[in-house]
Amino acid sequence: ENDDAAPVDTDPILEHLDIKHFGCVNRLRSCPQKPSIVATFSETSHAHVYDLTAHLASFDNRTGTANLNNRPFFTHSGHKTEGYAMDWSRVEAGNFLTGDCSGAIDLWKPRDNMSGWDVVKGAWRVGESVEDIQWSPTEKTVFAAGDCGGRVQIYDVRQQGRSMISCKAHTTDVNVISWNGIVSNLLASGADDGVFSVWDLRKFKEGVPLAKFTTANKPITSVEWHPTDESMVVVSDEDAVFIYDL
């Protein structure tokens, strides 16, 4: 066999494990400090936390799946309705937030080594469905939330019950938000009418975005900043994905 020959194209082999989940998975988030800790928000209104350490290790050690525990090790059943908003703090390991369609935001405080959480139910009540939540990438007590009232609001966990800053960001539902991990004063938001905006939080109260784009007439379903390039952002609607260089 000629070692200098070009490699033969072969189909990739995808290895996977299936975990049964009770109810539709509305959203899934992996803990940034411990990626094997994964949380889901179900249409049943329950939020579950799974430890997938053994599942990930099984790909390497070929031990099989017979002895894997597929059940969540923690479940929060305090929400009255289903929800889509959830986020892990990138600053304070284990701090977690969930927001539901009734407008309630619950604050999760981790116990030792993330063995469980003490949950403050209804720490904030928005009045509209909370569609997305994002912790600040630099401040351990600050987070943002987008809701169906077209607002993006900034909160501090030390001031429960109300937001610090509220901005009427869109004329339709705010579906998704994303906080820039490199330039912490930049926040992006995407709405139901196909518009996404970039905000300078230093001028957030003025209600005028730094930039505003209309991708289409279809709802924005995802917005995400590039992890190492502060000017790149990817946006998707129901049919397409768009990449912008700001």
Side-chain angles (χ1 to χ4, degrees):
E1 183 177 333
N2 185 359
D3 292 338
D4 296 330
V8 177
D9 290 335
T10 58
D11 292 332
I13 298 174
L14 176 64
E15 297 182 83
H16 72 282
L17 294 173
D18 294 326
I19 298 174
K20 290 185 177 180
H21 185 273
F22 186 72
C24 175
V25 180
N26 287 351
R27 189 162 282 170
L28 181 149
R29 289 286 183 264
S30 174
C31 178
Q33 294 86 1
K34 290 187 176 182
S36 60
I37 302 297
V38 172
T40 65
F41 210 150
S42 172
E43 66 176 355
T44 64
S45 79
H46 294 164
H48 306 289
V49 184
Y50 297 81
D51 186 350
L52 303 183
T53 303
H55 297 71
L56 296 175
S58 70
F59 288 116
D60 297 323
N61 55 31
R62 306 296 178 183
T63 56
T65 62
N67 297 321
L68 295 178
N69 181 10
N70 290 336
R71 298 181 62 84
F73 73 90
F74 184 84
T75 294
H76 172 48
S77 56
H79 284 286
K80 295 181 179 180
T81 63
E82 67 178 325
Y84 297 86
M86 57 195 311
D87 195 36
W88 296 98
S89 171
R90 286 173 273 180
V91 180
E92 193 81 3
N95 277 4
F96 193 58
L97 290 162
T98 48
D100 66 29
C101 293
S102 73
I105 299 175
D106 291 2
L107 172 64
W108 301 38
K109 299 179 180 179
R111 300 170 192 155
D112 292 342
N113 200 30
M114 283 191 244
S115 59
W117 284 262
D118 296 315
V119 183
V120 182
K121 294 188 291 185
W124 299 270
R125 296 197 176 275
V126 177
E128 302 279 353
S129 175
V130 181
E131 298 296 285
D132 203 4
I133 280 179
Q134 283 264 296
W135 283 97
S136 165
T138 57
E139 299 182 66
K140 66 180 182 180
T141 64
V142 177
F143 69 92
D147 62 52
C148 280
R151 295 172 299 177
V152 175
Q153 302 191 73
I154 309 297
Y155 298 84
D156 192 308
V157 299
R158 296 167 296 185
Q159 298 180 3
Q160 294 182 16
R162 63 185 180 88
S163 63
M164 294 191 302
I165 307 173
S166 179
C167 174
K168 182 69 173 179
H170 295 272
T171 58
T172 58
D173 300 357
V174 177
N175 292 331
V176 287
I177 57 176
S178 182
W179 211 314
N180 193 306
I182 302 174
V183 182
S184 60
N185 59 285
L186 293 182
L187 182 81
S189 60
D192 231 16
D193 57 359
V195 172
F196 96 91
S197 299
V198 177
W199 303 88
D200 185 342
L201 295 179
R202 296 170 298 184
K203 302 178 180 179
F204 197 52
K205 288 183 178 180
E206 299 175 6
V208 180
L210 187 66
K212 182 178 180 180
F213 303 88
T214 301
T215 58
N217 293 323
K218 296 182 178 180
I220 301 297
T221 56
S222 183
V223 174
E224 191 73 29
W225 291 98
H226 192 285
T228 59
D229 188 333
E230 71 274 10
S231 65
M232 300 288 288
V233 62
V234 61
V235 179
S236 65
D237 62 18
E238 294 176 342
D239 291 330
V241 176
F242 310 88
I243 299 175
Y244 290 85
D245 185 349
L246 303 182

